Amino acid sequence: MTQDVKEIFGSPGGSLAAKVRTLAPSMTRSMLRVAEAVANDPAGCAALTVTGLAELTGTSEATVVRTARLLGYPGYRDLRLALAGLAAQQQSGRAPAITTDIAVDDPIADVVAKLAYEEQQTLADTAAGLDIAQLGAAVTALAGARRTDVYGIGASGLVAQDLTQKLLRIGLIAHAHSDPHLAVTNAVQLRSGDVAIAITHSGSTGDVIEPLRVAFEHGATTVAVTGRPDSPVTQYADHVLTTSTSRESELRPAAMSSRTSQLLVVDCLFVGVAQRTYETAAPALAASYEALAHRHRTSPR
């Protein structure tokens, strides 16, 4: 086997499904049928030849091979071996995953359990798929930045605000922009030594792509936090940090799960920057705590 099962799939089943979700927009319909088949039934697919899997999914042998390569393997033989190893892991006593579909009539206790499970899987998938080299490079750029601008709309805008507030508390200059016009006019002022971060799950939000493009063209170091590593926003990103997301359902829109994975990524960025700038970050953080301490003290009666 050219690659270890855990390298591609992480925990049994979970990271494979996450990888399929991430790569789905770049797959043809026939490739997606193959990918979903191996994700849903690794044991069954491991027992099939390339011809057998093609027949099962109503595709061609060439499509099966292309899908295997897109998933990170030189060919179907390598994917088949990995699926066999994954199936063995799943049969070693690991409890089957609960369904995360939320029905209108679900008891609130079931809703809590399902959401908690899904959040946990989303975080695990994001951590498993995060490019540590790209993360480290982004941390280095942020730690030495003169100024950082962060762009996000809607739920991603809340994540942008979260990151800037954290950076401000350790003494760094950071601004969050959810207004597209203000974002672009600020991006024009960025230069080499500044950092611009775009947060967009789809990677195709024009109001986020435009200011990142302007910042990129003006020499700033640019970072994209996105669930689609082949999306338009990445063409203007020096560094790409890929997030995972759970499957969207009627009562759980994509914004909910994408926000969870985005928050993990920005927390990783913040902690990394705080470590790099500890001598100044620690006193700044202590000062911010002290400045707010009186608001948390019980008033004497």
Side-chain angles (χ1 to χ4, degrees):
M1 190 184 308
T2 58
Q3 289 175 282
D4 185 81
V5 173
K6 287 187 177 180
E7 183 181 341
I8 291 295
F9 299 140
S11 60
S15 292
L16 174 55
K19 192 173 187 69
V20 170
R21 286 195 297 267
T22 298
L23 295 174
S26 60
M27 294 182 183
T28 63
R29 290 185 179 180
S30 56
M31 290 176 70
L32 188 57
R33 288 202 298 273
V34 175
E36 289 178 340
V38 298
N40 293 333
D41 185 15
C45 291
L48 298 174
T49 63
V50 64
T51 302
L53 184 55
E55 292 177 351
L56 175 69
T57 56
T59 61
S60 65
E61 293 180 10
T63 297
V64 172
V65 174
R66 284 198 300 270
T67 306
R69 289 174 178 168
L70 187 61
L71 290 173
Y73 289 91
Y76 177 64
R77 177 179 177 276
D78 302 278
L79 174 59
R80 188 179 177 186
L81 289 172
L83 290 173
L86 178 59
Q89 285 183 310
Q90 290 179 326
Q91 294 170 3
S92 64
R94 186 172 183 266
I98 62 171
T99 176
T100 56
D101 289 331
I102 298 176
V104 174
D105 57 352
D106 271 351
I108 192 63
D110 289 355
V111 171
V112 171
K114 290 180 178 182
L115 287 177
Y117 177 81
E118 190 68 28
E119 298 281 337
Q120 180 183 10
Q121 288 300 114
T122 299
L123 292 173
D125 290 345
T126 298
L130 200 55
D131 188 319
I132 301 302
Q134 291 285 299
L135 177 64
V139 166
T140 299
L142 280 169
R146 178 185 70 94
R147 161 183 162 185
T148 297
D149 279 16
V150 190
Y151 317 123
I153 302 295
S156 295
L158 298 176
V159 179
Q161 291 179 29
D162 181 77
L163 176 58
T164 56
Q165 289 173 12
K166 286 181 168 71
L167 294 176
L168 286 168
R169 293 192 70 177
I170 59 173
L172 300 182
I173 299 175
H175 308 278
H177 299 290
S178 57
D179 182 297
H181 297 284
L182 188 59
V184 171
T185 56
N186 275 268
V188 171
Q189 307 303 321
L190 298 180
R191 299 290 184 270
S192 176
D194 297 328
V195 173
I197 301 176
I199 303 177
T200 163
H201 173 65
S202 69
S204 58
T205 306
D207 288 341
V208 172
I209 295 174
E210 186 178 6
L212 191 74
R213 175 186 61 79
V214 173
F216 179 81
E217 292 174 349
H218 281 75
T221 298
T222 52
V223 180
V225 179
T226 178
R228 303 286 183 256
D230 57 348
S231 60
V233 72
T234 61
Q235 65 183 308
Y236 303 114
D238 296 308
H239 309 295
V240 178
L241 303 177
T242 305
T243 59
S244 176
T245 183
S246 61
R247 182 165 50 86
E248 185 174 4
S249 64
E250 183 180 8
L251 295 179
R252 182 179 170 80
M256 292 173 63
S257 53
S258 65
R259 185 187 64 224
T260 299
S261 53
Q262 289 169 351
L263 286 170
L264 173 61
V265 171
V266 301
D267 278 353
C268 291
L269 286 171
F270 167 72
V271 172
V273 172
Q275 289 176 318
R276 299 283 182 91
T277 61
Y278 184 77
E279 290 187 1
T280 55
L285 195 58
S288 69
Y289 279 126
E290 181 61 29
L292 295 173
H294 71 280
R295 295 181 175 272
H296 303 290
R297 296 188 186 114
T298 303
S299 301
R301 293 187 179 183

